[in-house]
Amino acid sequence: MPLWFAALLGLVQGLSEFLPISSTAHLRLIPALLGRPDPGAAFTAVIQLGTLIAVIVYFARELAKMARAVVVDRAAKEARLAWLIILGTLPIGIAGVAAKPFITGDARSLWVVAVALIVVAIVMWFTDREARQDRTIASLGLVDAVIIGTAQACALIPGVSRSGATIVAALLVGLSRADGARFSFLLSIPAIAAAGLFEAPDAFRELGSSALGPLAVATVVAGVSGYASIAWLISFLATRTLAGLVIYRLAVGLLILGLLTTGVLTAR
């Protein structure tokens, strides 16, 4: 894989991982438009480690407080939040193992990506309009964590979007947009870490002996652009709705359907 292409994929990954527009969908679409092969689910999972570093750096203080509370003061709200994140991670762990053949195979069809982009956009629009948004992260309970975690598991299907699914679920349980995004990003840490480490051997096997350079470049670029994406989205959602992102998802989904229908793109 050329380094320029790896850098482009890293940029796309970083910018779209934390925006509710599906990084996997864009990592499928960009190569197809450029006439290059799909880099594969394993490559995608590994370069997500760059965005993992970005979210850890951005939330370093909160993560440090949670780690300290788990050890020193288990009754603290930070310790409770840490356990909710662990609980919320269980659904995607179970689904990732059970449905791996489908996720890395048929689910990567551009038909699936397009339909998922459109369907989730519609759900996102209705939820954003009707959600009461009167709760904070501090009020989250066990059931809330399971609901949001289950939504995260749905994001294993390309086109759904991890942040899109979890922010929508957070809105459904009453969180504000900004707090929903914060919990979504914190919840992504264990899932991204596990997926990246688990898929690394497959990525090197698929790309061959030359994999290290492209993976390194893509991961670094994803980390830098991912940090910027987190900062922008949290600031954006403090005062704005999801309407613009809904329109973008619909436009990309319809574009893919149009290109598939006319034969400009192939599903694989």
Side-chain angles (χ1 to χ4, degrees):
M1 177 184 295
L3 293 183
W4 69 265
F5 186 57
L8 175 61
L9 294 178
L11 179 64
V12 171
Q13 164 64 29
L15 292 177
S16 58
E17 173 66 30
F18 297 111
L19 299 182
I21 58 176
S22 179
S23 60
T24 309
H26 286 74
L27 289 172
R28 281 289 288 114
L29 178 60
I30 297 300
L33 289 175
L34 295 177
R36 304 194 67 88
D38 176 12
F43 182 90
T44 300
V46 174
I47 66 173
Q48 283 180 340
L49 293 176
T51 48
L52 171 66
I53 294 171
V55 73
I56 288 175
V57 171
Y58 189 90
F59 291 105
R61 290 185 180 180
E62 289 183 45
L63 293 171
K65 289 180 181 179
M66 281 190 279
R68 183 179 183 278
V70 168
V71 176
V72 178
D73 185 7
R74 296 182 181 179
K77 61 181 182 180
E78 292 84 2
R80 183 170 176 275
L81 179 58
W83 288 114
L84 289 178
I85 289 170
I86 293 172
L87 176 64
T89 302
L90 294 179
I92 195 171
I94 296 169
V97 173
K100 183 180 178 181
F102 172 70
I103 295 163
T104 59
D106 292 343
R108 292 184 68 80
S109 165
L110 284 174
W111 288 106
V112 174
V113 169
V115 171
L117 281 167
I118 293 169
V119 170
V120 175
I122 295 170
V123 173
M124 189 183 298
W125 182 69
F126 277 107
T127 304
D128 192 44
R129 285 188 58 191
E130 302 299 328
R132 63 182 190 272
Q133 300 186 59
D134 57 359
R135 299 177 62 192
T136 65
I137 288 179
S139 70
L140 283 178
L142 299 179
V143 174
D144 301 317
V146 171
I147 291 173
I148 300 173
T150 301
Q152 180 175 237
C154 294
L156 290 169
I157 299 174
V160 170
S161 168
R162 184 199 313 277
S163 62
T166 51
I167 290 173
V168 165
L171 290 173
L172 284 172
V173 301
L175 285 185
S176 67
R177 294 186 191 93
D179 271 13
R182 295 185 79 85
F183 188 74
S184 167
F185 297 156
L186 290 169
L187 184 64
S188 74
I189 293 174
I192 293 175
L197 296 175
F198 184 71
E199 295 288 356
D202 286 344
F204 283 105
R205 184 168 57 251
E206 290 173 7
L207 294 175
S209 59
S210 60
L212 184 58
L215 281 172
V217 169
T219 301
V220 170
V221 174
V224 175
S225 55
Y227 186 94
S229 177
I230 294 169
W232 179 83
L233 185 61
I234 289 179
S235 174
F236 178 84
L237 292 182
T239 57
R240 308 285 184 85
T241 70
L242 294 170
L245 296 165
V246 167
I247 293 171
Y248 178 83
R249 287 185 65 107
L250 287 172
V252 175
L254 291 172
L255 172 64
I256 295 173
L257 287 180
L259 294 175
L260 287 170
T261 303
T262 57
V264 175
L265 291 180
T266 58
R268 289 293 176 184

